[in-house]
Amino acid sequence: MLIPRPVSVEWGRGFCNARSAEIVVEDCPQLPDEAYSLCIKPHRIVIGASGQAGEFYARVSLEQLVRQFDGRIPSLIIRDEPRFPYRGAHIDVSRHFFDKEVIKKQLRMFASLKINRFHWHLTDGVAWRLEVDAYPELTEGVDHYSKDDVREVLALADSLHITVIPEIEMFGHSEEVLAAYPELKCPVGSRHSGEYCIGSEKTFEFLETVLSEVAELFPSEYIHIGGDEADMTVWQACPRCRERMRSEGLSEVSQLQSYGIQRIEKYVNSLGRKIIGWDEILEGGLAENAAVMSWRGEEGGKKAASMGHGVIMTPGEYCYIDSYQDAPYKEPVAFGGYLPLSKVYSYDPAPDDMPGREFVMGVQTNLWTEQVPVPEHLEYMLYPRVFALAEIAWSPAEGKDYEHFHARALARLHQARKDGYNCFDLENEVGERAETSGKLEHKALGCPVIYGTPYTAPYVADGDGSLTDGVFGSWTLKRDWQGFLNVDMVATVDLGQMTDIREIKADFTQWRTAWVCMPVEVCFEASSDGTSFTPLGTELNEYDLEDLRPAYHMFSWNGETSARYVRVTGRINERKWGWLFIDEIVIN
Ligand code: ACM
Ligand code: ZN
């Protein structure tokens, strides 16, 4: 049936020929703003709603039913309303540009999923994408939206009950601005730094002028001001920024950022609007009326909610769909991580036991586009994961059932492809790495490992027992992989007694985008006393160390020997550059 799943469906008897049936809209003032009822009887369809949004969502559901049942819909009554008022999807158009038609096409799909916020990431270090009359150099020589393009997108969004929230990044991620207007950066720091100088009044003149044009163009209550990942060391070194800190009585650079955000907030409030920022805006003191978008996990969101601020949950682990959605070896190169449909679906932005959950306005998925160059690829990353986001944003937490959702997602993907969307092939999903599904029995299981080189935080896996725990790493680098930085990986397994050995294996991965490379070779050695080792064999690496696509390989030796100690050496490249990642040494 529908995505997102409605609150309740009661099936009746008989069928309705929906294409010829009379449609009646009844005013139901008792219903909340976006809620609706949809009563389908033979010959008659009755929509109940208190306003335009509810009626719109009733028609969205009806349209889906018409398509699904090819016009002949079983009698039914749907009662429905959203769990959260903010149901968002974000697209980064700075790293790669997607023109207005591509954006409008995605808005149509978003609306059909009852998503009601589009967070348009218009500016970032790679390029500024919004025409600004006062500062034409911002968009000189790059693809961008004219104000008329934006108006066209906004008109469509309005008809689809989608609010477009523009993002103007500050005070970091602004290399593109500083390249055009170098007077806005600190007079220190590297040529490449992307931080505005908060000590300079010119910065505020610039940002306020830009924001006034943005507020004139976009009707949204909220304007997103970024706030993430500024390199605050630049401000520490800048005489102007230091002078600002002195005159404002600030002791930390995070307070300087907070000073900047609070000043911008006052300006945005004076335009009759409010700000949203990434969760870094909590550092150094949160601006008075700001809403917080929690992306570095949920902590920022929880903290802001506990302070009574509005929160949008978008933790990377569940909501960042620039990561792989299936086995990375078969997918187009992605930014990193593994986020399958099931994991997006599993997320609950406001569980019952969360303090301050009433301040959670909703949830959002983010698509950053460093690795997403063309519209087909954009859609491939979006669908079906946006389906899952739409459902966790709209449908009640009770009654969640992934298998049921999965079946609906397959049907909906079929429709989306007919409408010309390029979607991920969910039907042939490989799923999580098979090796992770249980604990592997082998002769080294539970045996102590003596490290010849140290593993490096944060990639410690489960510490010293990790390479002989029978547990393999997932497609992501986060779980069960142990990392060795800029050194060989040397580990000796103590089997406790002389043991007949037929096979030794060592499982490595390569994630070039995260500077993780296959070892150039893996050497296997044996010893009876732990001091004098005999070489058994070496397997040379066959992967291209520059290939950006993740790879997984079990280096191995097969033969016959008897030993108490087995030493495995993964040799790092000649430059001694990057990480070696291993999850298990298997001895049989
Ligand atoms: C972010 O992903 N830097 C908000
Ligand atoms: Zn400065």
Side-chain angles (χ1 to χ4, degrees):
M1 262 270 292
L2 302 173
I3 293 180
R5 174 173 53 89
V7 172
S8 80
V9 184
E10 271 172 64
W11 299 91
R13 281 206 280 187
F15 288 86
C16 170
N17 189 341
R19 293 197 175 104
S20 58
E22 178 194 15
I23 299 181
V24 181
V25 180
E26 283 179 356
D27 183 27
C28 301
Q30 79 283 5
L31 287 180
D33 183 32
E34 297 184 305
Y36 69 92
S37 62
L38 176 63
C39 177
I40 297 182
K41 296 180 184 156
H43 312 298
R44 198 172 148 88
I45 295 171
V46 183
I47 288 171
S50 64
Q52 289 179 0
E55 182 186 338
F56 177 76
Y57 290 127
R59 290 184 186 276
V60 164
S61 293
L62 178 59
E63 150 96 12
Q64 284 298 315
L65 292 168
V66 168
R67 292 192 68 174
Q68 186 179 345
F69 292 102
D70 197 18
R72 191 165 174 269
I73 308 174
S75 295
L76 54 74
I77 300 173
I78 290 176
R79 286 175 226 285
D80 205 6
E81 65 179 299
R83 181 172 177 204
F84 295 107
Y86 186 116
R87 305 179 297 279
H90 150 290
I91 297 177
D92 163 15
V93 295
S94 172
R95 272 56 174 262
H96 283 100
F97 182 70
F98 300 94
D99 69 27
K100 65 178 177 186
E101 296 305 329
V102 177
I103 297 299
K104 283 159 61 187
K105 185 178 171 194
Q106 309 324 311
L107 292 185
R108 287 186 200 100
M109 175 64 89
F110 295 166
S112 80
L113 297 162
K114 305 188 175 84
I115 282 173
N116 66 349
R117 296 288 187 278
F118 170 49
H119 173 172
W120 206 354
H121 189 78
L122 287 162
T123 74
D124 211 305
V126 168
W128 182 284
R129 302 301 190 180
L130 176 68
E131 180 180 33
V132 176
D133 298 331
Y135 299 104
E137 285 93 336
L138 285 171
T139 46
E140 211 170 79
V142 296
D143 287 327
H144 65 277
Y145 309 104
S146 69
K147 288 196 168 170
D148 279 341
D149 291 341
V150 171
R151 286 184 194 105
E152 196 177 317
V153 169
L154 290 172
L156 176 71
D158 187 51
S159 74
L160 297 171
H161 292 266
I162 292 175
T163 301
V164 179
I165 298 177
E167 179 174 352
I168 304 298
E169 268 274 13
M170 59 194 82
F171 288 93
H173 279 286
S174 301
E175 292 84 347
E176 86 289 23
V177 178
L178 305 178
Y181 300 99
E183 64 274 22
L184 301 179
K185 66 198 290 185
C186 297
V188 295
S190 111
R191 204 158 48 85
H192 304 292
S193 59
E195 282 67 34
Y196 290 95
C197 181
I198 302 184
S200 167
E201 280 306 297
K202 287 193 183 129
T203 292
F204 291 93
E205 261 169 53
F206 171 84
L207 288 171
E208 290 179 7
T209 306
V210 167
L211 287 167
S212 70
E213 287 196 30
V214 167
E216 210 173 281
L217 193 56
F218 290 86
S220 159
E221 177 188 11
Y222 283 99
I223 293 174
H224 201 301
I225 50 77
D228 59 317
E229 298 182 309
D231 174 8
M232 302 189 192
T233 59
V234 181
W235 302 328
Q236 194 91 61
C238 167
R240 286 199 303 246
C241 286
R242 281 213 309 268
E243 171 52 27
R244 176 82 79 193
M245 286 173 69
R246 198 199 54 74
S247 66
E248 296 292 329
L250 310 173
S251 52
E252 310 278 336
V253 269
S254 64
Q255 294 174 322
L256 181 65
Q257 163 159 294
S258 179
Y259 160 85
I261 303 267
Q262 292 188 29
R263 204 170 142 178
I264 290 296
E265 175 182 55
K266 284 201 183 69
Y267 181 73
V268 171
N269 288 169
S270 79
L271 300 171
R273 310 302 175 85
K274 298 183 190 164
I275 63 163
I276 302 184
W278 300 109
D279 58 52
E280 284 93 333
I281 68 167
L282 278 155
E283 293 161 15
L286 185 55
E288 203 176 328
N289 307 307
V292 170
M293 209 167 249
S294 191
W295 72 281
R296 298 176 302 172
E298 296 179 88
E299 284 318 303
K302 288 179 180 167
K303 186 170 171 201
S306 74
M307 295 157 66
H309 286 253
V311 166
I312 294 117
M313 286 297 195
T314 182
E317 192 183 345
Y318 295 96
C319 297
Y320 270 43
I321 57 171
D322 53 342
S323 50
Y324 287 91
Q325 61 193 314
D326 201 5
Y329 65 78
K330 66 174 261 285
E331 291 298 299
V333 170
F335 195 73
Y338 169 55
L339 178 57
L341 182 66
S342 57
K343 186 153 183 186
V344 180
Y345 184 78
S346 74
Y347 183 52
D348 185 342
D352 286 345
D353 58 358
M354 176 185 167
R357 66 197 287 271
E358 65 274 23
F359 293 102
V360 176
M361 297 153 67
V363 58
Q364 175 172 295
T365 182
N366 297 336
L367 181 48
W368 304 99
T369 58
E370 283 93 339
Q371 305 289 345
V372 182
V374 293
E376 293 73 20
H377 193 161
L378 184 85
E379 292 175 0
Y380 182 88
M381 301 305 272
L382 288 168
Y383 313 116
R385 287 182 289 185
V386 170
F387 299 179
L389 189 286
E391 182 137 331
I392 61 176
W394 178 283
S395 307
E398 311 81 60
K400 216 165 165 169
D401 175 346
Y402 182 66
E403 265 183 48
H404 186 236
F405 170 74
H406 185 266
R408 285 179 286 126
L410 285 176
R412 191 58 175 272
L413 283 169
H414 183 69
Q415 262 185 25
R417 286 194 191 96
K418 275 199 196 163
D419 293 341
Y421 291 88
N422 180 53
C423 309
F424 168 69
D425 181 7
L426 184 63
E427 213 141 358
N428 293 303
E429 183 183 19
V430 169
E432 179 54 290
R433 202 169 169 232
E435 289 85 343
T436 62
S437 65
K439 205 169 164 133
L440 185 76
E441 288 291 332
H442 59 88
K443 284 185 174 169
L445 201 63
C447 292
V449 174
I450 304 144
Y451 286 90
T453 48
Y455 48 83
T456 312
Y459 298 103
V460 299
D462 288 325
D464 285 1
S466 203
L467 297 184
T468 51
D469 61 0
V471 179
F472 284 77
S474 88
W475 293 133
T476 75
L477 296 178
K478 295 218 180 83
R479 254 190 322 116
D480 300 311
W481 291 102
Q482 205 161 63
F484 296 76
L485 183 59
N486 303 335
V487 289
D488 293 343
M489 187 292 313
V490 185
T492 303
V493 178
D494 179 0
L495 293 162
Q497 59 188 28
M498 290 299 284
T499 306
D500 289 334
I501 298 171
R502 298 283 174 273
E503 179 183 58
I504 310 169
K505 298 193 282 192
D507 193 37
F508 285 87
T509 184
Q510 170 160 311
W511 277 73
R512 192 59 180 68
T513 50
W515 306 292
V516 177
C517 294
M518 285 287 178
V520 291
E521 62 178 26
V522 176
C523 310
F524 301 96
E525 298 166 287
S527 166
S528 57
D529 59 7
T531 38
S532 154
F533 281 83
T534 310
L536 297 172
T538 295
E539 183 179 336
L540 297 178
N541 171 53
E542 291 187 350
Y543 288 88
D544 176 356
L545 295 183
E546 298 299 322
D547 193 341
L548 296 181
R549 190 181 296 256
Y552 304 82
H553 184 66
M554 194 84 89
F555 289 80
S556 63
W557 167 84
N558 289 277
E560 284 189 24
T561 191
S562 184
R564 173 172 167 179
Y565 298 91
V566 170
R567 184 158 70 193
V568 178
T569 302
R571 200 86 63 201
I572 193 155
N573 52 63
E574 262 178 26
R575 287 193 288 148
K576 297 218 176 300
W577 175 90
W579 292 86
L580 295 177
F581 266 51
I582 178 172
D583 60 347
E584 189 78 1
I585 295 172
V586 178
I587 299 178
N588 288 309

